[in-house]
Amino acid sequence: MKHSAQGAAGPGAGTAAAAVRIPVQPSAADAARSLSRDRGQSRDASQDRGRTRGAGEPDGSARGEHTHGEPPAPGPFVPGPSVPGPSAPRPRALVQRSSVRGQVLDALRAALVTGELRPGEVYSAPVLGERFGVSATPVREAMQQLALEGAVEVVPNRGFRVVERGDRELAELAEVRALLEAPVWLRLARTVPAERWAELRPLAEATVRAASSGCPAGYAEADRAFHRAVLALAGNEELVRIAGDVHRRSQWPPAGAPAARGRADLVADAHEHTALLDALIAGDPDVVRALIGQHFTGALRDSWALGL
C-alpha cells in the first residue's frame, strides 16, 4: 500500500497538479505522450509491489484485501437477532459433566451409609469408574469432595481410603447435632404457626416410606431433607449448612459396626418425625419438648454411639 502511494505521488502526479493550476488545453501529441508515461509508471509500481511481496503471497492491491498481517477492515454493521442462528456453532454443554460428578458423588455417599465402601479399605478411581460405567475423572472429583467432608483420605499413587470412625467420634457428632438442632426446634415450636408445620407433612411421610423400604441410603437422604426443612424455618442458612454437614457425617457407620441399620430402627426413627409434627401442629409444648429430647437422644443410639 505504501508503494502505491509513492507511485501516485510521482511525476504523473505533478503533471496532473500543473494541469489543474494552468487551464491550458494540451495538444493531441502531448496527451499521447502523457498517457504513455503514466502507463510506464504504473508498470514500474506494479513491479515494485511484486518484489516487495514474498513468494506465494497473494496480491493485496485489490480493494478490500489486507496485507502484511493487518486485520481486515470491518464491514458495515447489520442488525440481527441476539440468539445465534441454526448455522452458528453451539456452545459446549458443561451441565452433563457436572451431572455425572453429582451422580457419582451421590452413589459414593450411599455406599458409605450402607457399608459397601468399608472403613479402612482403599479404593482407586479407575476401578470405581468401571463399576459406575464412567471415566476415572468424575470419580476422582467426587472422592476429592468426600475427602473435604472427612469421609475418605487420599493415599498417594493408590486412591482413597475410607476413614475408620470410632464410637466416640460418632457420639460427639450426635451431641453436636443435639446442641445445634434441639434449641432451634424448641424456639420454632413457639413461633411457627400450625399451618407452616402442616406443610412439612409430605417430607415426614417420605421418611416413613423410605424407612419401610429398608434402604438405609434412601432413608438417610429423606431424614436429612426433613430436618433441613425444619431448620430452614429459622431463616439461618449457615445453621442449615452446618447442621446438614454434621447430620450427614453422623450417618456413616464406624469400623466394625453392622453393614447398615435395621429396618425396625429406621421405621421407629421415621415415626418420631410424624409424632413431632402432630405435636407441633397441636401446639402442645410439653409433648413437643419430650419428643424432641427422645428424638435427639435416639440420634446417639442410631449413630451406633455407646453413650456420652
Side-chain angles (χ1 to χ4, degrees):
M1 294 177 67
K2 185 177 297 185
H3 294 292
S4 299
Q6 293 174 351
T15 303
V20 172
R21 291 194 297 269
I22 303 174
V24 177
Q25 291 293 336
S27 65
D30 292 335
R33 286 193 297 270
S34 176
L35 179 60
S36 176
R37 183 171 58 252
D38 291 342
R39 287 176 177 174
Q41 292 173 351
S42 176
R43 284 195 301 271
D44 294 339
S46 177
Q47 292 173 358
D48 290 342
R49 287 194 298 270
R51 285 191 296 269
T52 302
R53 289 194 309 272
E57 182 178 347
D59 188 352
S61 61
R63 185 184 302 272
E65 295 183 11
H66 66 283
T67 59
H68 307 294
E70 297 175 359
F77 172 74
V78 180
S82 58
V83 179
S87 60
R90 296 184 177 181
R92 183 180 300 175
L94 300 179
V95 177
Q96 185 63 27
R97 169 67 176 275
S98 176
S99 175
V100 171
R101 175 187 175 276
Q103 292 176 30
V104 172
L105 181 59
D106 290 341
L108 292 173
R109 283 173 171 166
L112 285 169
V113 174
T114 59
E116 292 181 66
L117 293 181
R118 296 187 297 275
E121 294 291 329
V122 177
Y123 298 89
S124 71
V127 171
L128 290 174
E130 292 180 3
R131 171 180 172 181
F132 294 125
V134 298
S135 69
T137 299
V139 177
R140 191 173 292 108
E141 292 173 348
M143 280 293 196
Q144 292 288 354
Q145 176 60 36
L146 291 178
L148 293 176
E149 297 175 4
V152 301
E153 56 187 8
V154 178
V155 180
N157 302 321
R158 292 185 60 193
F160 301 86
R161 178 185 290 113
V162 179
V163 174
E164 297 185 77
R165 314 169 68 81
D167 291 328
R168 179 179 178 82
E169 181 180 356
L170 289 173
E172 290 174 352
L173 287 171
E175 183 182 19
V176 173
R177 276 197 67 203
L179 292 172
L180 284 173
E181 294 195 45
V184 178
W185 281 67
L186 292 172
R187 175 165 59 86
L188 293 174
R190 298 189 300 268
T191 58
V192 175
E195 56 269 20
R196 293 293 304 277
W197 290 116
E199 294 174 358
L200 302 184
R201 177 73 66 182
L203 289 175
E205 293 175 348
T207 66
V208 175
R209 290 193 299 271
S212 301
S213 71
C215 175
Y219 178 73
E221 183 176 354
D223 184 29
R224 290 196 309 273
F226 175 74
H227 281 261
R228 183 168 58 247
V230 171
L231 295 178
L233 296 174
N236 188 327
E237 295 182 1
E238 286 298 310
L239 170 67
V240 174
R241 182 183 63 81
I242 295 172
D245 178 63
V246 174
H247 193 171
R248 185 192 306 277
R249 292 168 61 192
S250 69
Q251 293 173 330
W252 302 328
R261 296 170 60 185
R263 180 178 177 276
D265 289 338
L266 300 180
V267 171
D269 192 63
H271 280 301
E272 290 179 3
H273 295 154
T274 56
L276 264 169
L277 270 188
D278 290 339
L280 289 165
I281 293 172
D284 191 332
D286 294 333
V287 175
V288 168
R289 189 176 298 107
L291 289 174
I292 288 176
Q294 176 184 340
H295 190 61
F296 286 101
T297 301
L300 305 179
R301 179 191 65 250
D302 295 339
S303 297
W304 292 275
L306 299 179
L308 293 177

